[in-house]
Amino acid sequence: MIKMAEVIFQDIPENKEYQELTEKVIQKCFEVEKINPTSLYICVTFTTPKNIRQANKQYRDIDKETDVLSFPMFEQEELDKMIKNHTLEEWKQDIENEVLQEILGDIIISIERVKEQAKEYGHSFERELAYMLVHGFYHLRGYDHMEEDEKKIMREKEENVLSQLEIMR
């Protein structure tokens, strides 16, 4: 079976519901973006506020806790080219030949922050965690929200995935 997401629990107990939601959300993201999972997968780490702060400091030189971090392995143009240049027949051959998948990137999520933000925004934990996963995914795809026009595009993509999953506010 093709694995679209590897889930790691760092200094928090393993949780089957988090694992299942992650797989469902990432699968929908791949489907919406027309990414065949035979070639790419995502590593998702659920962790503590302390650990995410350390990662933020180490990799981004920002000494601050955050909710989600994303570390893409490809530039957006490079990834778009990879996705478009692989035919359906090639994907099928990859499955048969058990070609190794490449990592699309890493997403690190602070579970404690997800719980806090769900309360703060007045929606379910499931909705907030799904949003963090989708948000992280789109950062891996090369989208950002620094400029207003970028933010609009990214938010529309995020809401599209969440609505297809019927995970609403």
Side-chain angles (χ1 to χ4, degrees):
M1 186 170 134
I2 300 298
K3 189 178 197 175
M4 288 179 238
E6 176 185 3
V7 179
I8 298 169
F9 295 89
Q10 181 188 36
D11 297 334
I12 64 167
E14 287 191 26
N15 185 302
K16 186 178 178 183
E17 287 81 26
Y18 300 174
Q19 175 91 33
E20 289 170 357
L21 181 63
T22 299
E23 290 168 3
K24 181 171 92 170
V25 169
I26 298 301
Q27 180 177 351
K28 182 56 74 176
C29 288
F30 273 56
E31 179 185 309
V32 167
E33 289 294 312
K34 296 176 178 55
I35 297 173
N36 191 307
T38 60
S39 63
L40 297 164
Y41 76 99
I42 295 172
C43 181
V44 178
T45 301
F46 295 119
T47 193
T48 65
K50 177 184 172 200
N51 289 341
I52 204 165
R53 180 179 186 150
Q54 286 175 333
N56 205 13
K57 183 172 173 39
Q58 180 178 353
Y59 298 109
R60 298 180 64 227
D61 203 27
I62 299 173
D63 190 10
K64 182 178 162 195
E65 181 191 326
T66 189
D67 49 7
V68 60
L69 292 172
S70 300
F71 300 99
M73 298 304 276
F74 302 97
E75 295 294 327
Q76 189 174 25
E77 297 80 22
E78 183 181 18
L79 187 57
D80 287 344
K81 191 175 179 181
M82 279 175 57
I83 293 167
K84 288 178 185 165
N85 288 343
H86 222 68
T87 66
L88 185 58
E89 198 54 45
E90 288 172 322
W91 295 121
K92 288 177 184 175
Q93 286 178 337
D94 286 352
I95 294 172
E96 289 172 16
N97 297 330
E98 297 182 10
V99 171
L100 290 177
Q101 293 171 290
E102 291 190 62
I103 186 163
L104 178 60
D106 293 282
I107 299 171
I108 304 173
I109 297 175
S110 169
I111 289 296
E112 196 172 305
R113 283 293 293 272
V114 171
K115 291 175 184 174
E116 291 168 4
Q117 289 174 184
K119 286 179 188 172
E120 179 183 336
Y121 299 131
H123 51 242
S124 70
F125 173 82
E126 176 191 41
R127 199 273 181 208
E128 187 65 18
L129 181 55
Y131 175 76
M132 288 294 122
L133 289 162
V134 174
H135 185 79
F137 171 82
Y138 277 107
H139 276 307
L140 297 182
R141 280 287 287 121
Y143 292 91
D144 211 340
H145 46 82
M146 300 305 284
E147 302 294 328
E148 200 54 44
D149 58 332
E150 295 175 330
K151 184 178 183 176
K152 184 178 186 290
I153 292 167
M154 189 169 174
R155 293 294 181 260
E156 285 174 4
K157 288 183 167 291
E158 292 165 346
E159 290 303 324
N160 177 43
V161 171
L162 293 171
S163 68
Q164 286 191 40
L165 289 166
E166 298 180 356
I167 300 175
M168 311 311 266
R169 291 178 189 252

